[in-house]
Amino acid sequence: MIEFRRVNKIYEGAVRAQALTDFNLTIGDGEFIFIIGDSGAGKSTLIKLLMGEEKATSGSVLVDGVNVGKLRSWQLPKYRRHFGVIFQDFRLLQNYTVFENVAFAQRVVSASKKGMLKRVPRILSVVGLEEKQKSYPSQLSGGEQQRVALARAVVNGPQYLLADEPTGNLDPANSLEVMRLLEDFNRSGTTVIVVTHDAAMVDQFRKRVVTMKDGQVLSDMQEGGYVHA
Ligand code: ADP
């Protein structure tokens, strides 16, 4: 479970910016949730706090009871293994094949070579890329590249899948395919959090939708349209 409890985040720079204001949000295990909001609403800040890249100015971010802001830097790599993350720009290693891109995520957690040889092809087949294992990212379409990124994100079986504008660079057909895969992973138990400003995409899926504005929750709607408790 993820809990943001009265979180304030103020960036003290040349210009002081309050990115989150008394922000409260609870995400239960196994949920599929969209987080939407205009640019500047605080979505990226929410992700950074969750990943331990930034600390809250006050309040707490709890993940399975662990206060993320209290983790030491040496504890963060292990903590972050609970999350698979995909981004709008895919972030694949260009000089590595599809197989290697996915296997690399396994090496980081020092999986055995034998386990890796089994799991990488299996996950690539789940995302429909078993034929492309030896290709390089530049030889793939945007949709295929995002599916590689997705395979890499889930190959270690993370508890949470965090997608930051996952369809931002994709056409509608590929967007739909990536979203369907996110749904599949959700069905198999992964908590999925999709941050986006693509309202059309959100409308196609009947999921919980949290709308952020000026660092706060503007609305929190469950599938059918009622307000989430
Ligand atoms: P979103 O992802 O919804 O566009 P952000 O979390 O990026 O929103 O930004 C929320 C607010 O915090 C904005 O006003 C933004 O300018 C400010 N902000 C974000 N990151 C920083 C930073 N590193 N330093 C100063 N201000 C920042």
Side-chain angles (χ1 to χ4, degrees), residues 11 13 15 17-19 37-46 48 54:
Y11 292 104
V15 188
Q18 176 134 15
D38 294 340
S39 174
K43 305 182 300 296
S44 308
T45 298
L46 182 149
K48 285 179 187 154
E54 289 280 352

Side-chain angles (χ1 to χ4, degrees), residues 32-94:
F32 190 122
I33 180 171
F34 283 112
I35 296 178
I36 64 172
D38 294 340
S39 174
K43 305 182 300 296
S44 308
T45 298
L46 182 149
I47 291 178
K48 285 179 187 154
L49 292 177
L50 203 49
M51 299 307 293
E53 290 167 20
E54 289 280 352
K55 284 187 193 304
T57 309
S58 68
S60 47
V61 179
L62 302 169
V63 175
D64 300 326
V66 172
N67 189 330
V68 184
K70 294 257 190 303
L71 293 175
R72 305 295 191 84
S73 52
W74 61 268
Q75 295 174 304
L76 287 173
K78 185 163 182 232
Y79 163 74
R80 288 182 183 136
R81 283 181 216 157
H82 292 106
F83 293 85
V85 190
I86 61 171
F87 304 94
Q88 176 168 1
D89 55 1
F90 320 133
R91 303 197 189 177
L92 300 176
L93 301 166
Q94 296 301 317

